[in-house]
Amino acid sequence: MHHAIRHTALTMAAAAALGLAGAAAAGAYPEQPVRLIVAYPAGGAVDGAARILAERLGAVWDQPVIVENRPGASGRIGVALAAKSPPSYTLVAVTNSTINEQLGRETAGAPSSAASLLPVSTLFTTPVALLVNRQAVPADTLAQYVAMARDKPGAISFGSSGEGTTTHFFGELLKRDKQIDITHVPFAGEGPNLTGLLGGHVGSAFLSASGATKAAQTGKTQVLAVTTPGGSPLLPGVPSFAQLGVAGLDRDTWVGLYAPAGTPQPVLDRVAQAVSEALSSPAVRERYAQLGLIAEGGSPQDLARRMEDDRQYWTQAVQRTGISLR
């Protein structure tokens, strides 16, 4: 009898402990500071958006959200660090180009840290624009840019945020569509890419609307075209590549939040809800718009669907350009 009572008590205690753990995961989270890894350099669009979000989440959660920049290898260093981190209290902000590059490596039989990350929520979307340094490439329109590139094959360079990134693919797609020879110069993130354009180290560059907005403020650049098919309110008056008859450059880039494998689903849902609420705030949306970004949000399932749709698009881009992701 005594043994039966003790067994029942232990069973009830275990059940209570599991219940409390589930409640803590779903409701009391977070109970300690949260680390938000940005897989790119400070000063870029991802960094700015992450810091705005961290400030908002920290205030709501009453726990610090610590942003940590870990750039390098087109985002792979930050992704690898996040994948090795303990679950639940680490997040990582990653562009779709990094995720697609990593999953492409996995498909090709190479190691991929991104394969073990769990989707949480979409942070933002942003168009990508082609800009020129006015002094290096005095083109006012895409047609003039193409004509100059044909006149002097290989003389015009275009900067990207790194090998295998969205901005790299767009340059290669433009080369093939217009049959021009422009030279790719990869940088370690958008911040260095923007600096390279403004300094004349490259004659042109593919940048997010955030980078394009910063560049336009200097008066040194001209925006030629944007990837949003119908044009973007973030870059008013700029024609789209689709409107100018260029095929394939009709996909905006996006940034997702991910968590290490082993993070419980209730925690993923809790974080996604908090992120969505933060990004729906008019004040946050305005701050994002000032950076050239469209705040998004959504559930882990929404991000998973976005990833699948994006992967199909970029699989076709890989086939068209021949860029190796291995």
Side-chain angles (χ1 to χ4, degrees):
M1 179 72 170
H2 177 75
H3 175 77
I5 293 174
R6 182 172 180 272
H7 175 75
T8 302
L10 288 173
T11 301
M12 292 177 63
L18 288 173
L20 287 172
Y29 178 92
E31 298 178 298
Q32 64 188 56
V34 176
R35 180 191 196 192
L36 174 50
I37 297 172
V38 174
Y40 312 96
V46 185
D47 178 65
R51 292 182 184 278
I52 292 171
L53 178 65
E55 176 186 313
R56 189 81 176 190
L57 291 179
V60 171
W61 284 340
D62 198 27
Q63 289 285 355
V65 178
I66 303 166
V67 176
E68 182 179 327
N69 294 90
R70 288 299 185 99
S74 300
R76 292 195 297 274
I77 290 177
V79 167
L81 178 62
K84 294 185 295 185
S85 298
S88 299
Y89 283 90
T90 296
L91 301 170
V92 60
V94 190
T95 67
N96 61 322
S97 57
T98 296
I99 289 294
N100 288 327
E101 190 267 353
Q102 285 276 278
L103 295 179
R105 287 171 60 86
E106 181 193 21
T107 301
S112 168
S113 298
S116 64
L117 293 177
L118 301 175
V120 178
S121 185
T122 304
L123 184 53
F124 66 80
T125 60
T126 184
V128 174
L130 173 63
L131 294 85
V132 294
N133 179 300
R134 290 178 182 273
Q135 187 171 0
V137 183
D140 292 321
T141 65
L142 182 63
Q144 292 176 1
Y145 177 88
V146 169
M148 293 175 65
R150 286 177 177 161
D151 186 53
K152 296 182 178 180
I156 296 178
S157 56
F158 76 93
S160 78
S161 297
E163 293 278 357
T165 62
T166 301
T167 48
H168 178 197
F169 272 105
F170 282 145
E172 298 297 333
L173 288 168
L174 179 63
K175 286 172 63 173
R176 284 155 179 77
D177 186 86
K178 291 300 183 182
Q179 297 183 332
I180 56 176
D181 181 11
I182 51 179
T183 304
H184 177 225
V185 179
F187 290 92
E190 175 155 282
N193 189 18
L194 173 58
T195 300
L197 177 67
L198 296 179
H201 303 296
V202 289
S204 62
F206 282 88
L207 297 167
S208 71
S210 172
T213 300
K214 292 178 182 177
Q217 293 170 350
T218 69
K220 296 181 178 181
T221 64
Q222 174 69 32
V223 186
L224 302 184
V226 66
T227 55
T228 308
S232 172
L234 297 175
L235 295 170
V238 178
S240 72
F241 286 101
Q243 291 168 337
L244 296 173
V246 181
L249 279 75
D250 56 0
R251 179 64 57 106
D252 290 348
T253 192
W254 50 265
V255 167
L257 285 179
Y258 296 83
T263 301
Q265 188 64 46
V267 170
L268 298 175
D269 293 337
R270 169 74 169 169
V271 174
Q273 180 183 3
V275 168
S276 296
E277 290 175 355
L279 296 180
S280 67
S281 160
V284 171
R285 298 186 71 84
E286 175 60 26
R287 292 178 69 183
Y288 270 45
Q290 291 172 357
L291 291 176
L293 312 174
I294 299 173
E296 288 286 338
S299 68
Q301 294 75 22
D302 292 333
L303 179 52
R305 284 190 290 270
R306 186 187 293 269
M307 289 170 61
E308 180 57 31
D309 178 63
D310 212 54
R311 188 171 185 175
Q312 293 177 12
Y313 177 90
W314 290 108
T315 295
Q316 295 177 356
V318 169
Q319 294 170 348
R320 289 180 60 191
T321 61
I323 295 175
S324 174
L325 294 181
R326 188 167 184 175

